[in-house]
Amino acid sequence: MSDHTDAQLQALDRLVGTWRVTGGSEGTVTYRWLEGGHFLVQDVDLTQEGMRIKGMEVIGRERPFGADAPGADLRSWYYDSQGSTFAYVYELEGDTLTIWSGEKGSPAYYKGTFDAAGTSVTGAWVYPGGGGYDSAMTRVS
């Protein structure tokens, strides 16, 4: 668990563990805290459109060299075995997780809802012009 006092970041602790992903992508993702509790790391092992994709994502607040304080948004940086690099903004309000592509308010995003037990998240990726897909995660451990 994070030992950092950032309440918005700390709220993402409910993602820690391994999840089975179903829907437009199939496989597993594992979330874990980087030492210090400032960053949550996601390890990705998915198959999407017949391609195996392995990747990692680092989620936290941006704080460039020399900055006095971290940024306002929970940003993430994703890198995968296909050479893709994506940036996202995470937002968790109550039981609703929104992952904005690029910037908060983007027309491309994921929105999912945790069940009462916190053992599944059900939602969908939405893309402008279509092409989005349903995506659910079920806790494995």
Side-chain angles (χ1 to χ4, degrees), residues 28-50:
T28 59
V29 296
T30 301
Y31 290 89
R32 59 186 166 81
W33 288 108
L34 199 61
E35 189 170 336
H38 296 278
F39 298 99
L40 187 63
V41 177
Q42 178 185 199
D43 297 305
V44 175
D45 187 352
L46 298 172
T47 300
Q48 187 172 14
E49 297 177 4

Side-chain angles (χ1 to χ4, degrees), residues 117-129:
T119 58
S120 71
V121 182
T122 304
W125 282 96
V126 175
Y127 299 128

Side-chain angles (χ1 to χ4, degrees), residues 4-5 24 27-28 40 52 77 92:
H4 191 54
T5 57
T28 59
L40 187 63
R52 180 125 183 242
W77 300 268
L92 182 60

Side-chain angles (χ1 to χ4, degrees), residues 29-95:
V29 296
T30 301
Y31 290 89
R32 59 186 166 81
W33 288 108
L34 199 61
E35 189 170 336
H38 296 278
F39 298 99
L40 187 63
V41 177
Q42 178 185 199
D43 297 305
V44 175
D45 187 352
L46 298 172
T47 300
Q48 187 172 14
E49 297 177 4
M51 278 192 301
R52 180 125 183 242
I53 300 169
K54 295 189 109 186
M56 60 92 65
E57 179 178 30
V58 178
I59 306 158
R61 295 198 192 270
E62 190 171 32
R63 191 169 83 186
F65 181 76
D68 291 332
D73 291 331
L74 290 179
R75 296 196 168 274
S76 80
W77 300 268
Y78 171 84
Y79 310 90
D80 72 22
S81 55
Q82 304 298 311
S84 297
T85 60
F86 301 126
Y88 298 100
V89 173
Y90 274 65
E91 185 175 50
L92 182 60
E93 291 185 1
D95 289 331

